[in-house]
Amino acid sequence: MKSTVRVLLIGAAGRMGKTIVDLARTDREIDIVAQCDLGDPIETAMEDCDVAIDFSHADAITEICRAALHCNKSLVIGTTGHSQAQRQTIKEAARSLPIVLASNFSVGVNVLFWLTRKAAERFGDDFSAEIVEAHHKTKRDAPSGTAKTLAELLKAARKIENEIPIQSIREGDVVGEHTVIFKGPEERLELTHRAASREIFARGALRAAKWVMGRPPGLYSMQDVLGL
Ligand code: NAD
């Protein structure tokens, strides 16, 4: 029988936090032993967990990394919108701890990442690339973390420094939609992912929490978790 992963959930009162709590009730390998939200002390809550899952706000990351280093715990980070300095804080923590950092935990989007890289490698310089993303009106960061990841993949695959144009749409209660558009002479390819519910991200985050336990220190992606 597989052992249970004891989880501290940070951002527990938010949309993703609540979705994770609901999903974890049906998962025998996950036990949410502590929950934190804005104003709660993170380090005390971290003492009794194996893995901390963060779906809160980018500004929480310094305290989360400090607590994880002090308590020697693994991290699964789903929060997006980190600044360069905050990303550096995560990278430094990953020298001592196993950390999964993913702008999107869904299987479909991670396959989209894979397809985007492959398509960009195949299309020559005759093809331009752009990204369109849509999310609910209350999403705080724009462009989305997923759109930024797609842009980084495209730049790396095309070996260019120019920024990839990203159009961000904020409307209604859209959970998340991302389209990568390749435009060439007389033809166009569009790769689209549409999320129907937040459960896909929650399921991926719990899968990452089980995967990260006992790994060597390092900064891992959801593609590492999925073996893509
Ligand atoms: P939300 O606003 O509904 O919830 C965020 C929660 O975090 C709130 O309850 C808030 O009070 C809490 N919070 C804010 N600052 C905090 C702090 N310093 N310490 C502890 N808690 C704090 O947002 P959401 O839709 O649940 O999304 C949360 C984050 O996850 C966002 O950055 C979002 O972009 C990201 N997200 C990532 C994925 C993914 O797959 N990686 C999927 C969906 C959302």
Side-chain angles (χ1 to χ4, degrees), residues 84-168:
Q84 284 293 348
Q86 289 167 333
R87 290 185 82 85
Q88 194 54 35
T89 301
I90 297 170
K91 279 188 194 160
E92 275 162 25
R95 289 200 197 126
S96 311
L97 303 170
I99 299 179
V100 179
L101 171 66
S103 57
N104 196 304
F105 279 97
S106 91
V107 175
V109 160
N110 282 278
V111 173
L112 174 66
F113 290 157
W114 187 86
L115 289 169
T116 298
R117 190 184 304 117
K118 289 287 161 203
E121 284 165 2
R122 294 285 155 162
F123 287 131
D125 294 339
D126 290 348
F127 282 77
S128 65
E130 61 190 70
I131 297 163
V132 180
E133 59 101 346
H135 282 87
H136 52 92
K137 277 187 293 196
T138 52
K139 182 167 175 64
R140 293 192 180 199
D141 52 327
S144 69
T146 304
K148 287 187 195 164
T149 304
L150 285 165
E152 288 307 314
L153 284 175
L154 286 163
K155 281 167 70 176
R158 295 163 68 93
K159 300 187 176 63
I160 55 166
E161 285 303 316
N162 300 357
E163 292 307 321
I164 305 289
I166 304 176
Q167 186 190 347
S168 296

Side-chain angles (χ1 to χ4, degrees), residues 27-87:
D27 191 329
R28 287 184 180 180
E29 292 169 46
I30 296 284
D31 186 7
I32 301 207
V33 293
Q35 302 183 23
C36 282
D37 205 89
L38 194 59
D40 298 330
I42 292 174
E43 191 168 316
T44 328
M46 210 175 269
E47 280 163 9
D48 286 330
C49 76
D50 301 310
V51 180
I53 300 181
D54 167 34
F55 278 91
S56 59
H57 187 275
D59 290 347
I61 200 64
T62 309
E63 189 183 352
I64 293 170
C65 287
R66 196 186 311 121
L69 285 165
H70 191 251
C71 301
N72 196 26
K73 305 293 181 183
S74 309
L75 289 177
V76 170
I77 303 173
T79 300
T80 60
H82 296 114
S83 65
Q84 284 293 348
Q86 289 167 333
R87 290 185 82 85

Side-chain angles (χ1 to χ4, degrees), residues 9-23 53-56 78 105 175 197-205:
L9 183 58
I10 304 164
R15 280 167 289 223
M16 277 306 302
K18 286 178 187 157
T19 311
I20 289 175
V21 169
D22 285 346
L23 193 68
I53 300 181
D54 167 34
F55 278 91
S56 59
F105 279 97
V175 176
S197 101
R198 288 186 178 81
E199 210 177 292
I200 58 173
F201 312 126
R203 199 176 302 120

